Amino acid sequence: ARFETATSCSSTLERLRKAGAPGLLVVGGNDLLSRRLEGKCCYHSSGNLLEDQAKTLSHLGFDSISLAGHPGSGFEVLEGKIDTCANAGLKVTIASQFEFNTRLMLQWIHSLRVRFPEVRMAMGVPGITTQKRLRRISEICEVGSKDLPSLFDAMKRDSTT
């Protein structure tokens, strides 16, 4: 959502696709209000950007999109983003930061699975953080690593559908 104009956003998406990017990770920001007030941002949220550009993404040949989400974010906002992307024909993955409260995370994943069984889930930094690394981090931080297997199972698409 850091684009000054919709045209600059579309142009950037086009360049990314031509460079071979098959999908995108869309993350919201917390400085958008100040950027909008300065006239440096045409979108007021990542959801607004998706509403404007989801069909463009599909038209350009992007086949997937990852959306940042976590139990503390607004579920209704995330639902809207998922619906927008799915309606444009994009495969959606929810990329979540690591959550040490496994019960909260499991409840959140279950809620997402009930509403969106086709959506994939990824925990940690997509493409970088492996389950092995997350287990090690939880052990170092002395966080209930005994709950991690059920958390990882819940993240797997096949285990809940």
Side-chain angles (χ1 to χ4, degrees):
R2 295 179 161 272
F3 300 98
E4 290 187 29
T5 67
T7 302
S8 67
C9 180
S10 297
S11 173
T12 299
L13 294 173
E14 221 172 298
R15 287 193 315 272
L16 286 169
R17 188 64 191 121
K18 284 180 182 174
L24 301 169
L25 170 63
V26 177
V27 180
N30 59 4
D31 67 342
L32 290 178
L33 179 59
S34 61
R35 291 181 55 79
R36 281 187 60 222
L37 293 174
E38 295 169 4
K40 295 181 179 178
C41 185
C42 67
Y43 299 112
H44 61 80
S45 67
S46 58
N48 182 239
L49 179 146
L50 291 169
E51 289 167 5
D52 187 55
Q53 298 288 336
K55 288 188 171 132
T56 300
L57 290 168
S58 186
H59 177 73
L60 289 171
F62 286 99
D63 58 3
S64 63
I65 190 160
S66 295
L67 306 172
H70 58 89
S73 62
F75 194 77
E76 296 80 20
V77 173
L78 186 57
E79 282 183 312
K81 292 176 186 178
I82 295 170
D83 283 335
T84 297
C85 294
N87 289 337
L90 299 167
K91 295 176 202 160
V92 178
T93 298
I94 302 302
S96 181
Q97 63 196 23
F98 188 66
E99 172 63 59
F100 289 117
N101 183 338
T102 52
R103 286 191 183 128
L104 176 64
M105 191 70 165
L106 285 168
Q107 290 170 346
W108 181 71
I109 292 168
H110 176 73
S111 297
L112 280 169
R113 289 282 183 235
V114 167
R115 174 76 170 82
F116 302 102
E118 73 285 359
V119 170
R120 295 185 57 207
M121 301 287 298
M123 185 170 46
V125 180
I128 297 172
T129 311
T130 63
Q131 286 186 13
K132 182 178 176 182
R133 181 175 285 166
L134 290 174
R135 288 178 198 275
R136 189 170 179 316
I137 291 168
S138 72
E139 289 169 7
I140 291 169
C141 297
E142 298 178 5
V143 174
S145 59
K146 69 180 183 340
D147 295 326
L148 286 179
S150 59
L151 183 58
F152 290 131
D153 286 343
M155 298 291 276
K156 291 180 189 172
R157 182 176 181 188
D158 295 338
S159 68
T160 57
T161 57

